[in-house]
Amino acid sequence: MALAAMLGALAGAGTTAAWLHPDRTTPPTVAGQPDPARVAELERAEAERNAQSLEALATFGVGLQDELAPVLEGLHGAHPSDGSTRRTPTGEDVDEWRASLEELAVEADALPSGGTEHNMVRSGFVLTLELLGSSVDLVEQALSAEPASDETLFRLAGAARDHAVDAFGSAAMQLDNLYVTADKGHLHLVLRAGEGGVPLDDPHGHPGH
């Protein structure tokens, strides 16, 4: 009776019972469940896409910190965060900064997408450039404003610049974490006001880095 009950249960299991056929060496794919081979293929493709995204982000980030140095030097001079005397830029300076930012924005938009963490880095770089663009616009407005309002515009430009530095710092930390996770070591990116200048904000300046 026990054997009959067992065989009856196997017969009712459909595809599971078919596994007992002497010619079958592996169980069939259960309806409604993913194919393990297909899952592995998708995982490999995702890993490859993330690896390509990581390298693109790293290359762009290293170049970005260098390309932004003269822009940040000018914006820092327009509204010094250390209380020093303002170095008023010219219209030509503003045009050069804007052209540089626009070119970098095009490169940022072309960065390949990846996983969520990779896209966070990309979004951080894009936000950095957008905020610096706002800072440049405010400086331009300040240059043509009445004396009664130019100081306010310069101050707002400085605030936008500082927010841009914060956005870059967050993106740089996320990129560093991705690099470590990928067993590539640390990648420290820091914005500076001018080539060889003091870091405006070092997100890696803590023990362990």
Side-chain angles (χ1 to χ4, degrees):
M1 292 295 292
L3 178 59
M6 180 181 299
L7 292 175
L10 289 171
T15 56
T16 304
W19 186 17
L20 297 179
H21 194 285
D23 294 334
R24 192 180 295 279
T25 57
T26 57
T29 301
V30 179
Q33 294 188 7
D35 179 4
R38 178 56 176 161
V39 171
E41 180 183 353
L42 293 173
E43 290 177 344
R44 286 194 299 271
E46 182 180 14
E48 182 176 335
R49 180 173 64 114
N50 286 339
Q52 293 174 349
S53 174
L54 181 58
E55 286 308 306
L57 289 169
T59 300
F60 179 76
V62 170
L64 186 61
Q65 69 174 356
D66 296 334
E67 293 291 335
L68 289 181
V71 177
L72 288 167
E73 182 177 25
L75 291 174
H76 179 74
H79 185 75
S81 57
D82 56 7
S84 58
T85 303
R86 171 179 295 126
R87 300 190 304 275
T88 304
T90 65
E92 289 76 12
D93 292 330
V94 170
D95 290 342
E96 288 181 7
W97 301 341
R98 181 175 288 118
S100 178
L101 293 174
E102 289 176 349
E103 182 177 342
L104 290 168
V106 171
E107 295 179 23
D109 287 339
L111 287 170
S113 62
T116 301
E117 295 82 1
H118 299 74
N119 292 337
M120 287 173 60
V121 177
R122 179 181 180 275
S123 296
F125 288 155
V126 170
L127 180 58
T128 297
L129 294 168
E130 290 177 349
L131 288 168
L132 288 176
S134 296
S135 181
V136 170
D137 289 343
L138 287 163
V139 168
E140 184 177 48
Q141 294 174 31
L143 293 178
S144 59
E146 297 294 330
S149 58
D150 65 346
E151 182 58 37
T152 298
L153 291 168
F154 276 124
R155 178 173 52 80
L156 291 173
R161 174 204 63 210
D162 292 344
H163 287 314
V165 172
D166 291 340
F168 183 90
S170 296
M173 280 296 295
Q174 182 65 45
L175 181 57
D176 184 35
N177 291 336
L178 288 172
Y179 239 59
V180 172
T181 301
D183 292 328
K184 293 178 175 292
H186 286 286
L187 178 64
H188 291 175
L189 303 180
V190 180
L191 291 181
R192 303 174 185 273
E195 184 177 354
V198 176
L200 296 176
D201 179 37
D202 186 355
H204 314 283
H206 54 78
H209 285 256

